[in-house]
Amino acid sequence: MTKNIMIVGVGGQGTLLASRILGNAVISEGYDVKVSEVHGMSQRGGSVVTYVKYGEKVHAPIIDKGEADIILAFERLEAIRALPYLKKGGKVILNDRKILPMPVITGATTYPEGIVEDLSSKADVIALDALDLSIKAGSPKAVNVVLIGVLAKSMDIPKETFIKVINETVPPKFLEMNLKAFELGYNYEG
Amino acid sequence: MKELMIGNAAVARGAYEAGVKVVSSYPGTPSTEITESIVKYEDVYVEWAPNEKVAGETAIGASIAGARAMSCMKHVGLNVMADPVFTVSYIGANGGLVFCVADDPGMHSSQNEQDSRHYAKASKIMMLEPSDSSECKEFTKLAFSLSEKYDTPVFIRLSTRVSHSQSLVEICEPEKVELKPYVKNIQKNVMMPANAISRHVVVEEREKALREFAETTPLNAVEDNGSKIGVITSGVSYAYAKDALQDKVNYLKLGMVYPLPTNLIKEFASKVDVLYVIEELDPFIEEHVKGLGIKVKGKDVFSLLGEYSQNLIKKVVLNEEVDAFAPQNLPKRPPVMCAGCPHRGTFYVLSKLGVTVSGDIGCYTLGAVAPLNSVDTTICMGASVSAAHGMAKARGEEFNKKLVSVIGDSTFIHSGITGLIDIVYNKGNNTVIILDNSITGMTGHQDNPTTGLTIRKEPTKQVDLVALCKAVGVDRVRVEDPFDIKGFEKAVKEELEVNEPSVIIAQRPCALLKTVKHEGYYTVNSDKCRSCKMCMKLGCPAIIFEDGKAKIDPTQCNGCGLCVKVCPFTAITKGE
Ligand SMILES: Cc1ncc(C[n+]2csc(CCOP(=O)(O)OP(=O)(O)O)c2C)c(N)n1
């Protein structure tokens, strides 16, 4: 069986780094893996989706509707947009942030209310303010690593593996802060 | 050792291991990272060329001179490069010559959804199509040796999902490849009619040999699961099909999509009751199979549009539906110009003036979305200038007085300059705005001839845009700051008024460049805000309107200050 993790957010939020850390953690455990990234136009503030899939043998690079075991969402509206991709009984880890899309800013439409409640009625949801934890770790720039910490707790990959990968990925100058961010996420009690 | 790599990095690795010596490309999503990944191989010569035609010809020259050479592009880049491609098919290759072309089904970042496989057939050049990163590396390596063996250029066809998905790749030592001798050979390398006539004969013989090769090469593999359903597929469609159908069907996976095998397909088809071709975009394989008189299901049950997926294939072939939460009707989140983007100033002014904007391709295409709604047309790179010339010739001077072209620095060098020459030569009076943000933005910050740096970040001569425009005969060339809204508006008005061609260079670096320093953020004093919504007209993602007042999101604002200039009530000031 492959495990499917979908990372969603808004272009520029750092989802790419999160998927790279996750991908490398998974290969350290000897799995086959596919990580599908987004480059190009949508990185300019559009909806972005990356997929991380691992198991004995992974074929399709994308996650289809009803296939995601976990959705890691960097933003509320993007979480609810991704919901059709969640397996029934799956889990949503939500950075409870609101970034208004341009059609909302221009007044053409409104930002939906009650997203967290809606999600919680359909899935197992962990919602947190990752920016707050990131600032506690020493910088507002480690939101993605905080979220990786929360995710790690929900996965069957040892914590040490993640720490090893963060050690290998993050520049030394930011290492301590990022490790702290990871711990704060990992120890987050919902 | 195995490493996790996107398909594009794996193509670069494959080329490196095959001893590639010269790589010349022009960026274009989803192909860009191939050439960017070559940079880490220090002994390979790599460059960004001004456009795909130049890039392709550079690679062709290197091949004729005896080196293994490669050029990479997005699908529409191949249109630009098509001219040399059709003729180098006749010349063949001395050093292995590989053209890597990346299609974009679903149009994640493209202006059309063309299927490049038609080019392989039309130009009679073999084409390989990998389905994951490991195959990207292996097929690219093989492409160089096939190129030399069959004396032909070779296409590698990628698609967005193959280019941008990471999977495991086995890392090997690079081959030691010597330069082949350069021998003057007029019959082979000078394509004038007398020589081309005899080279065409060679091409047709090569086609025959490659068709035979297609029958036996392990690139085309049968996977017999003893099923009565057969699937012929290639590239990423194979990955989707495997996921959806597992071992419930037999597969013929085609790693070589041109030329296609005949007997192999006939034999595969003879063993099943139902045969499908699963391929995104056009019925390229399907038409070949039908041409063999074989009954096959293809575009009658699968779409000509967009990307496929495992669920889609499951539904068509197995009639299985997936249980999933229904999608809701949610606000879309289209891409927008970044906070601080210099193009915003230009489009704010153009939108205010209500002029017709002949647009082009780059970040500034986003000037077409609400609330700016400024751009009238976008066709292909360079067309902003030439199409505006056509508009002016069609509708006359009055129309031209309210018509501008907008074109980025990279796009201007790519193919805008020829349009400008056309305007000058044919007595046009157009106004062309070059949006010089000091970088090729849309494709992720590549240097270009106007930035003064090479792909390896070595300082080099910098094209002087002012001098260039003057040299082709434009006397009125001025440099303006698009964030000086008043000055910029005045400049546009003046240039529209004059009866001669003019160029305005809107100069301000991309806000995402590391060299651009951001000074804090701005904030709205809600007591002073009179809810006039002038700042909302900028379409800045950092400015929202809540509870009847404008607000600035400090995490998104990068302090460009453009909104300060449009606020009539001085309600916007520096944040703490
Ligand atoms: C023939 C062709 N080649 C490549 C591309 C991909 N592409 C789209 S926009 C662009 C460059 C944009 O750079 P620039 O003109 O400097 O504008 P910016 O994005 O920086 O505003 C490229 C390479 C394309 N669409 N067509």
Side-chain angles (χ1 to χ4, degrees), chain A residues 33-35 37 39 41 44 46-47 60-62 64-65 67 75 78 81 84 88 97 99 102 105 110 118, chain B residues 4 33 109 164-166 243 309-311 322-325 328 331 333 335-336 441 536 539 543-544 555-556:
Chain A
V33 63
K34 283 207 168 128
V35 180
E37 308 178 342
H39 298 243
M41 192 95 170
R44 302 276 171 269
S47 302
I62 61 161
D64 213 333
K65 298 211 167 88
E67 286 190 338
E75 198 269 353
E78 297 314 311
R81 200 192 303 287
K88 296 267 167 95
R97 243 208 106 194
I99 300 176
M102 199 44 73
I105 293 181
T110 52
D118 187 11
Chain B
L4 199 53
E33 303 81 9
S109 295
H164 289 164
S165 292
Q166 300 183 52
D243 213 294
S309 73
Q310 47 271 37
N311 286 356
V322 175
D323 180 28
F325 294 108
Q328 305 179 20
R333 191 186 297 275
V336 289
M536 300 303 293
I543 310 178
I544 60 175
T555 64
Q556 298 235 54

Side-chain angles (χ1 to χ4, degrees), chain B residues 295-356:
Chain B
K295 226 180 118 204
V296 60
K297 288 177 190 281
K299 296 299 167 182
D300 48 337
V301 288
F302 286 104
S303 179
L304 286 158
L305 316 175
E307 296 188 283
Y308 290 179
S309 73
Q310 47 271 37
N311 286 356
L312 184 133
I313 294 170
K314 229 183 260 174
K315 173 86 178 68
V316 171
V317 179
L318 305 175
N319 198 25
E320 284 176 13
E321 293 266 11
V322 175
D323 180 28
F325 294 108
Q328 305 179 20
N329 190 9
L330 299 167
K332 295 208 165 47
R333 191 186 297 275
V336 289
M337 278 183 226
C338 306
C341 177
H343 301 330
R344 182 169 285 108
T346 301
F347 286 107
Y348 176 78
V349 168
L350 297 180
S351 173
K352 185 174 168 211
L353 294 177
V355 291
T356 301

Side-chain angles (χ1 to χ4, degrees), chain B residues 24-26 49 51-61 69-89 97-102 114 119 123 125 153-156 414:
Chain B
S24 179
S25 309
Y26 182 75
N51 66 31
E52 291 86 352
K53 180 174 181 293
V54 173
E57 290 158 349
T58 301
I60 291 167
M70 180 165 80
S71 184
C72 311
M73 72 227 75
K74 71 181 288 163
H75 58 346
V76 289
L78 183 51
N79 303 339
V80 177
M81 189 186 150
D83 193 14
V85 164
F86 279 72
T87 302
V88 77
S89 173
L97 178 60
V98 174
F99 301 134
C100 235
V101 56
Q114 73 187 46
Y119 272 105
S123 65
I125 292 176
V154 178
F155 279 121
I156 303 275
H414 178 280

